[in-house]
Amino acid sequence: MSTPSSCPVAPRPFWGPLRAGLSLGAVLLLTFMLTGHGLGATGFTTRLTAWVAGGVAPAATQANSYLGPLLEDGHPLSAWITWQVLGVALGALLAAWRGGRLRWQVDGSRSLGGPRRLAMALLGGVAAGWGARVSAGCTSGLGLSGAATLGLAAFAFLGAFFAAGLIVSRLVRGVQ
C-alpha cells in the first residue's frame, strides 16, 4: 500500500541510535529549560476531550472530577502541550517529506490483512491511551520526562511497559 512515487527524493537512511538518542536528550533538556515542562502528548487529547465534552454536555463534564478541572483552563489552544503536539506532528511530516519517506502505508497488513491490522492498531492505541491516562502520562511524558527527573513512577512504568510489550509480542506473533 505504499506509493514511493510520492516521495520527492530517494529515502535517506535513518539516524543511528546514538545520534537519535543524543538528539532526543538535547530536545528534552531544551524543553525543560525553555518551557519548564517535559515532553508529553496525552495531556493534549485529555484537554481536547474535556473541551469537546464541555460543548456537548457542559453540566456533566463540569461535574466530572477528572474532566471538570480541565474546563477551567479554557480552550485547548491556550495550553502549551497543544502547541507541542502540533509541532511534533508538523515536524514529523516535514522530516518524512525531507527524508523521502512520506507515503501512505499500513505496516503489517501483509501478515494480518489490512482490516485486521487496522483493528489491531486501533485496539492497541486505545489500550495504550487508557494506560497512559491511568499512569498519569504517556511513554514520552512519563517515560522520558519522568526518568529524566528520576521519578520512581517513570522507572516502574518503563519496566512494566517493556515487560508487557515482550509478553504481548510473544502472544501475538508466537515464540520464534
Side-chain angles (χ1 to χ4, degrees):
M1 289 183 73
S2 65
T3 56
S5 61
S6 65
C7 299
V9 296
R12 295 182 191 164
F14 289 113
W15 285 5
L18 180 62
R19 180 179 178 195
L22 289 174
S23 297
L24 180 58
V27 167
L28 181 58
L29 178 63
L30 283 171
T31 303
F32 272 118
M33 291 171 55
L34 296 175
T35 69
H37 301 282
L39 297 172
T42 56
F44 164 69
T45 56
T46 306
R47 287 178 186 284
L48 187 61
T49 300
W51 182 67
V52 169
V56 174
T61 307
Q62 191 68 40
N64 184 289
S65 62
Y66 183 68
L67 296 177
L70 294 175
L71 290 178
E72 297 167 8
D73 292 341
H75 198 282
L77 290 179
S78 65
W80 66 271
I81 199 165
T82 300
W83 296 103
Q84 177 201 309
V85 169
L86 292 174
V88 167
L90 290 173
L93 183 66
L94 178 63
W97 177 72
R98 294 272 300 135
R101 298 185 188 298
L102 184 61
R103 60 185 161 271
W104 293 105
Q105 68 183 44
V106 177
D107 292 337
S109 62
R110 196 173 290 159
S111 61
L112 292 175
R116 184 167 180 230
R117 174 62 180 120
L118 292 173
M120 293 294 285
L122 178 63
L123 179 64
V126 167
W130 178 78
R133 294 315 313 155
V134 167
S135 65
C138 58
T139 52
S140 57
L142 187 58
L144 290 174
S145 300
T149 59
L150 302 178
L152 182 60
F155 291 107
F157 166 76
L158 286 172
F161 179 79
F162 283 109
L166 287 170
I167 292 168
V168 170
S169 71
R170 296 296 183 224
L171 292 174
V172 172
R173 296 178 135 204
V175 178
Q176 296 182 12

